[in-house]
Amino acid sequence: MSPMAMIIATDWLWPFVLAAMVLVALFTASLAWSAGSGGVDGSGARRRIWVLTITLPLAAMALYAALGNPRGLNPRDRHPVPDEAAETMVGKLAERLRAEPDNPAGWLMLARSYKVLQRYAESAEAWEHAKELAWDDVEAMSEWTEARILSQGQRFDRRSQELLARAMSLDANAPGVLMLRGLSALDRGDVPAAQKVLTQLRDQYAEGSLDRQALDAALAQLAEGRDPRVSRPQAPPLPRQTPEAAQ
């Protein structure tokens, strides 16, 4: 196994990597506001710094933290423990955005940062302000939808369904969207639909990969009438309803 593969396979390392990425992104954001104090030139510098801030650390963070990583069907299992330093810097970012709300890139950063810190209601609210940047990006829409369902006790309300529909319109077969479709089917008790889309998601991963193994285990639980979203060994039986077509 190559060194990179060993790092990727080390699940315990990623919470620290993600926290570091958040801190780097937020530090860069503070530079952006400082650059903005210099008039026109400062404004241009701030825009360039925001581009680097969003596209480098947060894009990398999103690749792992987004729904495309299905090693746990309980969405809460896919986020690291909040870090005190990150909490402080996120708070400062939130204060600045309240003073300067017309900044969708800043709201996008705040939404993702809140999600990493498990502050899901605040993340979902920040995503609403970042709609300009998120609405045409399937990964961003997947993250937004996940934050929304976590803020609603892991249930799909009307807004969650609207967000999922938008993500599906962009790419219904993207890994994150397939995961959300499976969770939505489970939320409404439609086991056959959940099995269909989770099988489709599983088939996107290589034989023997950890993600495929996790999805195989989830599908086995579904076949036994157990809910794979629940971590307890004895999960309650799933409700049996008339099969519907997958979303």
Side-chain angles (χ1 to χ4, degrees):
M1 179 181 293
S2 68
M4 181 59 68
M6 293 177 64
I7 292 174
I8 293 174
T10 309
D11 289 344
W12 61 266
L13 180 63
W14 280 103
F16 300 98
V17 174
L18 297 181
M21 287 178 175
V22 172
L23 291 173
V24 170
L26 293 174
F27 175 74
T28 310
S30 68
L31 296 179
W33 256 288
S34 298
S37 62
V40 176
D41 291 339
S43 177
R46 179 168 65 182
R47 284 195 297 271
R48 288 191 295 272
I49 292 173
W50 273 119
V51 170
L52 291 174
T53 299
I54 296 300
T55 59
L56 294 178
L58 287 180
M61 179 176 66
L63 287 175
Y64 187 83
L67 285 173
N69 170 41
R71 296 182 188 176
L73 280 187
N74 185 334
R76 293 182 183 275
D77 293 340
R78 292 195 294 277
H79 300 284
V81 176
D83 176 84
E84 184 176 351
E87 290 271 11
T88 300
M89 297 190 76
V90 169
K92 292 179 179 179
L93 175 59
E95 289 178 6
R96 287 179 168 176
L97 284 170
R98 282 192 289 269
E100 302 178 29
D102 189 18
N103 191 332
W107 287 108
L108 179 65
M109 178 187 297
L110 184 63
R112 284 174 164 159
S113 299
Y114 274 145
K115 187 161 164 281
V116 170
L117 298 177
Q118 302 181 12
R119 295 167 63 173
Y120 303 117
E122 292 159 298
S123 176
E125 182 180 355
W127 275 111
E128 296 288 347
H129 294 280
K131 180 178 178 180
E132 176 183 331
L133 296 179
W135 200 245
D136 294 320
D137 184 322
V138 66
E139 287 188 5
M141 290 307 302
S142 296
E143 292 181 78
W144 183 356
T145 307
E146 184 185 18
R148 178 70 187 186
I149 64 172
L150 287 168
S151 74
Q152 300 298 310
Q154 302 190 56
R155 302 304 299 267
F156 281 76
D157 62 359
R158 179 177 296 181
R159 184 56 171 163
S160 302
Q161 293 289 358
E162 291 172 352
L163 297 174
L164 176 55
R166 176 59 184 172
M168 290 175 62
S169 74
L170 296 171
D171 186 354
N173 297 318
V177 178
L178 285 172
M179 175 64 77
L180 286 165
R181 290 170 59 189
L183 293 173
S184 176
L186 290 174
D187 185 58
R188 64 178 186 268
D190 189 347
V191 177
Q195 290 173 314
K196 180 178 179 180
V197 295
L198 292 179
T199 299
Q200 185 179 348
L201 175 60
R202 179 202 61 189
D203 292 344
Q204 294 190 11
Y205 294 94
E207 292 281 356
S209 66
L210 293 177
D211 292 323
R212 188 173 180 116
Q213 291 173 18
L215 287 162
D216 279 335
L219 288 165
Q221 287 180 294
L222 286 173
E224 296 170 357
R226 293 188 292 135
D227 189 339
R229 296 171 298 174
V230 182
S231 301
R232 296 188 301 273
Q234 298 297 326
L238 288 164
R240 297 294 184 183
Q241 295 187 358
T242 302
E244 302 172 3
Q247 285 188 351

